[in-house]
Structures are given as structure tokens and as C-alpha cells.
Amino acid sequence: MARRHMPLRSKMGWSSPDRISVCGLDLSSEILGKLNLGDFAFLEIKGRVPTPGESLLFNAMLATLVEHGMTPMAIATRLTYLGAPESLQSAVAAGLCGMGTTFAGTAEGAARMLQEALAAGHDDSGLPALAATIVADHVRAKKSIPGIGHPVHKPIDPRTPRLFALAEQTGSSGQYVLLMQLIAEEAERALGKPGALPVNATGALGALASELDIPWKLCRGLAVIGRAIGLVGHLAEEFRDPIAREIWERVEDETSSEWRTAID
Amino acid sequence: MARRHMPLRSKMGWSSPDRISVCGLDLSSEILGKLNLGDFAFLEIKGRVPTPGESLLFNAMLATLVEHGMTPMAIATRLTYLGAPESLQSAVAAGLCGMGTTFAGTAEGAARMLQEALAAGHDDSGLPALAATIVADHVRAKKSIPGIGHPVHKPIDPRTPRLFALAEQTGSSGQYVLLMQLIAEEAERALGKPGALPVNATGALGALASELDIPWKLCRGLAVIGRAIGLVGHLAEEFRDPIAREIWERVEDETSSEWRTAID
Amino acid sequence: MARRHMPLRSKMGWSSPDRISVCGLDLSSEILGKLNLGDFAFLEIKGRVPTPGESLLFNAMLATLVEHGMTPMAIATRLTYLGAPESLQSAVAAGLCGMGTTFAGTAEGAARMLQEALAAGHDDSGLPALAATIVADHVRAKKSIPGIGHPVHKPIDPRTPRLFALAEQTGSSGQYVLLMQLIAEEAERALGKPGALPVNATGALGALASELDIPWKLCRGLAVIGRAIGLVGHLAEEFRDPIAREIWERVEDETSSEWRTAID
Amino acid sequence: MARRHMPLRSKMGWSSPDRISVCGLDLSSEILGKLNLGDFAFLEIKGRVPTPGESLLFNAMLATLVEHGMTPMAIATRLTYLGAPESLQSAVAAGLCGMGTTFAGTAEGAARMLQEALAAGHDDSGLPALAATIVADHVRAKKSIPGIGHPVHKPIDPRTPRLFALAEQTGSSGQYVLLMQLIAEEAERALGKPGALPVNATGALGALASELDIPWKLCRGLAVIGRAIGLVGHLAEEFRDPIAREIWERVEDETSSEWRTAID
């Protein structure tokens, strides 16, 4: 009746009295002062140090995700810190909890679409037909196509050409980038919206993560890494110029205004 | 009776259709491909781009905090992902919630001790006496001194000499580093533990954060940034070589073993 | 260009110097000592006090969700408390984060299935055909049917007959309960698994929540309410008989055993 | 060198195919339909079923903590749901993270003060002198006294007399309640603020938790249980009458107004 135990193994890190090893490297002599923070994230995720080109590209990809201004997540982090100033980590955690399908889902979705489409292997010459099939499938199923169009950034998302140029420059632009671009072009044609559905930042990130062989299920993790930095940044500003209490008081005052009037 | 409203302001970021601005820089042309992820974290926290020396040091500081092996936080993140695989962000958030006083408190504590001690300004010649006072105060109050000693890394914490060397090399080693070192020496003398209470990594980080003029209240934020990366790394490994279900089943089996035996 | 503002309103609660009002009731005179905790949850969710029958049933429904033993969520809560004992609330929050689709999704799924099926209105006589259609649709789409079968509780889930009996006794057993039972019977027939796919606790809860006119999107909230209590219970036990540190040390030891051997 | 393993044990709950046991009771026959939700919370925390008097009191205590209107936690929960509607549990978790020292600390603080003061045992006749010592100690240390005074509820907190009456009625009013009342009277006298420092709800809860022999470290858990219900209630209202997007848009518009003006 006894369940068979599986051994527990991990290669992330371990320590001895005089040495700390992380993913096979010595922290003090091979990481500190040698790898920048984005390189370290690459090492953690892929288990190896990036090439110089991968380093440039991956740092840029993560940088795209750090700061999106006064998002609901940033407000939630500030409000949580107001209530629990002894737990800065929980304030960031609260903000990260909001990084779900509404805001972070489409890079994941674009990566999934691209990775599933190219799983079987294709010649470049077959990609236009593949893009047409993907667009047609989404249209027929009445699903939005991940990674294209943006409510604010029109007619182009300024991050996309920059990210694609960095990929080109570092030799990381391949079939995933090409397919993503073809899907955007095909969507504009099929939906009759010329110039309105360019590849957006999440589409670019989904394509580039795929070029770096990062599984689509982990794409939200890139957003989490970036945004954790951004939320700490918002707390740094909250320390200098607090707004959380003012937001709370305004919302509380207005939501209860009818009740308070009734009793006066 | 009406409460006076304060205006709400933030300089973190904003967007127009063709431009995304972050802390005063243009994301596409001034950040992507130009700043590495640690530099961007510096920009978010301090509101300005680091110098090359600050960049090297700050990236190393954050790198110290990324990966501490199979911590309770890493296990909690893996268990949470097992229950909610659709919410990778919440799995990281759950892990971050555990980054409290037990594990992340002492960098904060060391920074606070140093910043409060040097708030009034001191000559270098006065620092030994200041260190003696600090140690005596902690001993009298029966409080542990933050930033010295380590249960595993003896007689020295291998991260400390590396971090202090990087600070020296980049011109960021000043009174905070000196005072932290003097406190460790004085503590070994006063407590009669020669060679047993060296400056540990959190003491080094507290001193270096102070050198970079980062308020002690934000020090836990540096740990949060680093560890968010590490927890995503643990999820990447969990995808390849899962252990969460095995941990759960073992713990459930053993904690209920007396009950199950009783009924058989 | 200015966005039109919508007014912010809430009826949840407000206070004056001598009175606290919650969902239209006076807290001190109409809630404290009058409503039990489950009744209060009903008031919060539905905006009105339950009838005696609804009170009995709703308290039992929530009670079903409180304690499921040593779940991954309970372990995560204990590990998080180990790291951040100053933030008990975050330890519970960390545990709740794991209450996702793996463990809490099927009550939601069952409620959704039932509510969408009966949205248009049906005679009781039409329910067997409706159940057959639902089962056939799931089989054809190769989707599992929510709310039936259980890995441990066979051939029946002991909670289901008790919950359905309470619903019958309190006059809350209607078409949703009937349809859920018919789906289980039809599934056993269609899949050739007689006696193997009874309505499980989440199927029963999905049906009963529907009988109480609670939208399926809120069903996970019932699980959250119950489990928050259970996780506090696990912390109470952790205070008396701690196991978190032992779990952590065992996992850390074993996952790093190959590395430590290599260096010895 | 091998670490000695401690056995892992828990009495919270376990299951066999036909039976679910929770804290020694059979869930189906002894809990469902028999214990209300507050009673179950008592069982989880104390390991035994409450007496009828304890049931009445404990349900009232938890009910005090459910709904405090539009708190920062409620707003954070709503904003988090906006970002991650697939993870209702994480939205509640995010709100709970904010239940820290600012809002939930004083019940814990009052319970600690009372439990430490009465740990050694006292005659009732010695309590006035004990109250005077406690007040004097806080005044001398310039610390605020937990559990007395309230910014809105003046001259009395309407919850306190109701909670104390329920305690009296159920035979749970003892030395902790008496000492809390004496501390409030002494504080008004010592600080020259007659009628301004009554026992507030958190002081009452701290005293009553102590009467029920609940350790002060667990008091925040009572707040977490209550507030989890309240936050689910806020989400139920958010489903019907959403305000999160409006709050976000207003805050984003105003915080970026200077930047947007500059570019127009």
C-alpha cells in the first residue's frame, strides 16, 4: 500500500561554508561583478550564461515589462503598503497578484500560438500560409489574436521595432519573429483594418521568448520579474511622495457619500 | 466639513501613442538595449541612471539576493503553482510573502543601524568609538547585532569580501562600509568570539545600500527584486523536474500516518 | 478629450461616530449576537439576511470547504509563516494563492455548467435530455465533466448525501440539484462506469450555490472563505506543534544531497 | 553529520474513502448542519467545539472584523480582480496582505499587553494598581496604549459595550475584560482626557480573545478570518456594480496629468 517515493533533486543552488554555488557557477567569483541582473535571470531560467547577444536582447525584453505607469497593480501595492508597512514584500506580492490575464496574458498567448504553430517544423516559404491559417482559425472561433493591436500605441507600438531591431542585430531573429509579423499583416488584411493591427509589445515579447527557446508557460514569469522591479520603484516614490492615503480617503468618501448625507 | 483634497502626482511613467516615458527617459531609445536590468532597477529606485561604477556595484548587490537554494519561499512558490498553474504570478507572490524578518530582515536592520548612527555626521576618526557604543548598546539591550555572523559561512561569508572589493573598485566604499567593519571587529572583541562574527552578506548589503543613499526602509525591496527572479527560476526548474507534488504527498502521508493506521 | 467620470458607490458599510452600518443593518444591535458567521457571509454576498433554512444550508456549504487536511496550501501557509512571523495575514494570503483550478476549480465549473444549462428555463421533464446533451458535449470535446467522481471518496463522496439532505430539509433542493444528479447518472451510463462517477462535494456545492442564486463566478469565493478559516487553524497548530522548519530542512537536505556529496 | 529527523504530525484532518475527519469530528455527521461557521473556526483554533455561550461570543467577535467599509484592502482586492479575474483567490489574498500593523495590529497589541500582565496571576483587588503601572510604563516609553480611543467612534465605540455585554451574558467576562476597562479609565485620568479614551473594538477583542485563552499571536488570525469574508463580499458587489476600473482610470489620469499636458 505504501506509495513509492521519488527522489527530490534541484540544481538551483547550494552552499558550503566557504562557497555558494548557483546553477553550477560560483556566486562570488563567477557571478558578482560579472553578470548583470538580466544575465542572472537568463541563467536562472535557462541554466546557462547568455551569449553577449542574448544578454543584450534578454535585458531589453525584461526592461519592456518593468514600468507601465500607474497600473492597478501599482495602486494595489501602494495601498497594501499603507496597511502593512512592516511587510514591504507583501505589498509587492499583492501587486503581482493582479498581473493576470487582463494585463499579462497576451505575451503568453502569443508565445503559445507561435510555439504550437512551429512545433512540427516549417520552411520559411510555408509561413505565409501558416499565418493565414492561424488568422482564419481565430476569426472563425471569434477569438482575438494575441500580440497584435494596441488601444493607445497606434499605428505602431514603439517598443516593437526597437525589440525586433535588437533581435536582428544580435542574431536572434528567426521564424518566430517572421511568423508573428506575417500574422499581423494577414490579420489587417483579413479583418480589413490596414495599419490598425501591428505587432504590439506583447506579440514581440512572445516571439522573442520563443526565439530564445523559453516555453510559453514561463512567459508570464518574465513579466513578473520586470514588474517586481517596477513595483519596488513605485514604493520608493510612495516613500517620497505618498498618494495611497489620499486615494483611499477619496474613494471611501465618495462611495459612502449617499449614506453620510442621509444621516446628517 | 469637506476634506481638502491633495493632488495625486507620479513621475514613474506615462504613455502617448508614439512614446513611452519612464522616469524621464524614453523607453525605446534610451532604455531598451542601453540599460541592463539592474541599471533599470537603479533608475526606478533613485530616479536617475547609475554611473558605470554604480551599475557594476548595484547589479552585484541585487545578484547576491537572487538565489539562496531551496528556501521555504521556493518551496511555497512551487506548492502554490501546483494548486494554481493558471496564475504563475500568484505563485511568485506567495513565495515573496515569506521574505520577512526571518530571512530578509537583517539587511534592513544593518542599514538602519548604520544610517541612524551616521545621520548626524562623523569624522572617520570617531567611527571606532561609535562602533563600540553601538555594540555596547546592543549587548546591554540583549539584542543581536544585525549584519554579523552566519550559521554556515564561517569564518567568513564569501560574498562580503567580493562585495566590498567591488565597492572599493568603484569608489563607493565610505563611512558606512568602514563602520560596519568596525562593528564586526568590536563585537568579536566585546563578545569574546574572535573570528566568529564577520560581516555577513546582509551586513555588506546594508552598508552598500547606505553608500548608495538608499533609505533602510527600502532595503527589503532589493531582496524582493532579487528573489522574484530566483523564484521564477525555481518555477522554470519545476516545469522541467517537478518536485512539489512529491513534497506534498510525503508530508500529507506522514502527518496523517497515525490516523490512517488507527483505521486500518 | 476629458474622460467622463462615473460616480463611485458602495453599499457594503459605513460609519458615523455612534453607529456602524453593514449592508443596511446596524452592526451592534442587528448583527453582533444575532447572526452567526455564515449568516454574515450570506449577508455580505447576497445583501440580505438568510432565512433559517438558508442559514443552515449555507453554513454547511461553507463548512465543507474549511479543512481538507495537509494540502499544498496548508504547507505553503506554514512555510510562509516561518519566514515572516510578523505577517500572519500574508501567510494565509500565500496559502490562498494556491487555491486555483487544481483544487478549487470544479465547484465553479459545476455551477457554471448548471447555470448556463438552465439559464433559458426548462420543465423538470426536460432535464434528463438536457443531462444527456451535456454529457455528450463533454465527451465529444474530450473535456472532463465537473462535479463528478473523486480519487479517494468511492463509491460515494460522504459529503454529497449530507449536503443534499440538508437542501431537501430546508426547501432548497430544486432543478440544479436534480440536473447535477442526472448528469452523474448519465455520465456513468455513457462512459460505462457504473457506481464510479457519483456527484462529488464540488458538484454538490456548485448545485447548491446555484439553488441559492449565487453566480458561478463567485463560487471560488465560498472556497476562499472556508479555507481562510482552515489556514488560520493550521497556523494555530503550527504554533503548538511546528513542522514547517522540519519540512524545509528535509527538502533542502535532499535536493542538495548530490552536490554536498560531491564536495565532501 | 546527518541531521536528526523529527516526525511530522498533524491532527487537523484526514480522509478515508467513506469518511472525512476534522479535528477529531466526523465532517458529515458531526459538523455539517450542526456547527455554524464561527463554531467551526473555534474548533479549528482551539481543537474543541465551543459551548453555547462561547459560540455566541466567538461568532460575535469574528463578526466585528468582517466589514469595515471601503478600506485600502477592499480597494486593493477590487483592483487585483480587475487584473486577474481568473484568480479570485489571489484578489482576496492581495487584500489580506494589507491587513498589517496599521489596521489589524491593535487587537494583537491589546491581547499581548493583557496576557503578559496577567501571566503571573493576580487577585482582582490588584488589578487597579496593575492598570496604573501599565499606563505609566507606556507613557514613560512614549508608546501609545493599544485598545483605547478611536478617531471616529467618540465618546464610545458602539461595538465595545455590545461585545462586553455578550461576554457578561455568556459567562466569559473575567480579569482580562476588567483589566482592559481599568487601563482605559486610568489612561483617561493619567493623560487628562476624560471621556476620550474608551476601550475600542480592538481592545474589546483583545480582552475577549484572552478570556477564551487564545494566544495573542493568533489574534490577527481572527481578523484575517473575518476580513476574508468581507473581501469576498466586496467582490460580490464589484461583480454587480464595478468601480475598480473607474478608480484606476481616475488615478492614472490625475497622476500623469502634468506629463500629458506638457506634450499636448
Side-chain angles (χ1 to χ4, degrees), chain A residues 7-11 14 16 84 86-87 89-90 97 254-259 263, chain C residues 7-11 14 16 84 86-87 89-90 97 254-259 263:
Chain A
L8 302 177
R9 292 290 176 267
S10 170
K11 299 183 174 174
W14 62 277
S16 65
E86 73 282 8
S87 300
Q89 75 277 8
S90 300
C97 281
E254 184 172 338
T255 52
S256 64
S257 59
E258 290 179 354
W259 306 107
I263 206 179
Chain C
L8 302 176
R9 292 289 176 267
S10 170
K11 297 183 175 174
W14 63 276
S16 65
E86 74 282 8
S87 300
Q89 74 278 6
S90 301
C97 281
E254 184 173 338
T255 53
S256 66
S257 59
E258 289 179 355
W259 305 107
I263 207 177

Side-chain angles (χ1 to χ4, degrees), chain D residues 61-211:
Chain D
M61 288 166 59
L62 292 172
T64 309
L65 296 152
V66 168
E67 181 57 71
H68 287 195
M70 198 57 74
T71 57
M73 291 87 96
I75 305 171
T77 286
R78 290 171 183 250
L79 289 166
T80 303
Y81 186 82
L82 178 66
E86 74 282 9
S87 300
L88 186 146
Q89 75 278 8
S90 300
V92 177
L96 289 179
C97 281
M99 198 139 198
T101 48
T102 309
F103 298 111
T106 58
E108 183 178 293
R112 181 179 194 170
M113 174 180 73
L114 298 171
Q115 293 179 15
E116 291 180 347
L118 292 174
H122 280 81
D123 286 336
D124 279 12
S125 63
L127 297 188
L130 187 58
T133 303
I134 290 170
V135 170
D137 286 350
H138 280 81
V139 170
R140 191 170 40 243
K142 292 180 182 165
K143 286 199 224 165
S144 69
I145 300 166
I148 61 174
H150 195 283
V152 172
H153 299 302
K154 297 173 186 169
I156 60 165
D157 186 324
R159 297 163 290 191
T160 302
R162 179 69 177 143
L163 288 169
F164 280 171
L166 287 168
E168 185 72 35
Q169 170 190 333
T170 59
S172 293
S173 191
Q175 284 198 332
Y176 294 105
V177 170
L178 185 54
L179 180 57
M180 191 69 236
Q181 290 171 318
L182 289 167
I183 288 170
E185 289 167 22
E186 175 63 24
E188 294 191 342
R189 189 160 41 233
L191 296 166
K193 297 187 177 178
L197 296 174
V199 177
N200 61 31
T202 60
L205 290 169
L208 295 179
S210 301
E211 297 288 355

Side-chain angles (χ1 to χ4, degrees), chain A residues 169-180:
Chain A
Q169 170 190 333
T170 60
S172 293
S173 190
Q175 284 198 331
Y176 295 105
V177 169
L178 185 54
L179 180 58
M180 191 69 235

Side-chain angles (χ1 to χ4, degrees), chain A residues 10-24:
Chain A
S10 170
K11 299 183 174 174
M12 299 310 291
W14 62 277
S15 298
S16 65
D18 64 348
R19 189 177 152 91
I20 295 165
S21 178
V22 176
C23 300

